[in-house]
Amino acid sequence: MIMNAAGIAAVAIYAGLNGAVLFWLAVQTGRIRQREKVFMGDGGNPRMIRVMRGHANAIEFIPITLIAMTLAALLGTSAPIIHVLGILLTVGRVLHGLHFAAADAPMWQRMAGTGLSFLAMAGASLAAIVSGVMVLGG
């Protein structure tokens, strides 16, 4: 069995930080829901649709990236690689969230956030695949 406490500790940090991002997005969604008086679904309200889409996008990216990071760390991927992936994910999710939480935000936030998140997801997936193959191969 491979023990990589530093890698797992790194994943724990980014799981906590990204959990905080999800909490922040949930609060923003609730705030806008109350302000716009939309208590179910999006009510066809463009502001509500925007914040809900940003929150949903985070739910789409964060779990699978953290799962792949965890498996990669458990199988021996080094802590520095896990930190790079975690930083990419966290910064990407914050930038993307800022774009969708604001009524009008610069497009670069969305593009940068998406790009960093894609890099984190692809990198974590690759690290999990490589680590798995290396363990199975030998």
Side-chain angles (χ1 to χ4, degrees), residues 21-36:
V21 169
L22 286 172
F23 179 79
W24 168 69
L25 287 169
V27 168
Q28 295 306 309
T29 302
R31 265 187 50 247
I32 292 166
R33 186 173 293 290
Q34 287 191 333
R35 182 181 311 140
E36 299 292 327

Side-chain angles (χ1 to χ4, degrees), residues 1-93:
M1 177 177 185
I2 299 169
M3 182 57 186
N4 182 6
I8 297 303
V11 173
I13 291 167
Y14 300 107
L17 289 172
N18 282 276
V21 169
L22 286 172
F23 179 79
W24 168 69
L25 287 169
V27 168
Q28 295 306 309
T29 302
R31 265 187 50 247
I32 292 166
R33 186 173 293 290
Q34 287 191 333
R35 182 181 311 140
E36 299 292 327
K37 299 192 183 338
V38 177
F39 300 109
M40 180 66 75
D42 61 36
N45 180 305
R47 184 73 183 98
M48 197 70 234
I49 293 168
R50 179 182 176 94
V51 73
M52 286 176 67
R53 186 62 219 135
H55 192 186
N57 189 271
I59 296 295
E60 294 163 1
F61 271 88
I62 292 171
I64 191 60
T65 306
L66 289 172
I67 289 167
M69 287 170 58
T70 300
L71 293 170
L74 285 169
L75 294 174
T77 298
S78 70
I81 291 173
I82 299 297
H83 279 294
V84 168
L85 296 169
I87 290 167
L88 289 171
L89 177 65
T90 305
V91 172
R93 292 293 86 203

Side-chain angles (χ1 to χ4, degrees), residues 24 50 57 88 90-117:
W24 168 69
R50 179 182 176 94
N57 189 271
L88 289 171
T90 305
V91 172
R93 292 293 86 203
V94 167
L95 287 173
H96 194 269
L98 286 169
H99 178 80
F100 280 91
D104 187 27
M107 185 56 81
W108 72 264
Q109 287 177 334
R110 182 178 183 184
M111 295 293 114
T114 299
L116 293 173
S117 298

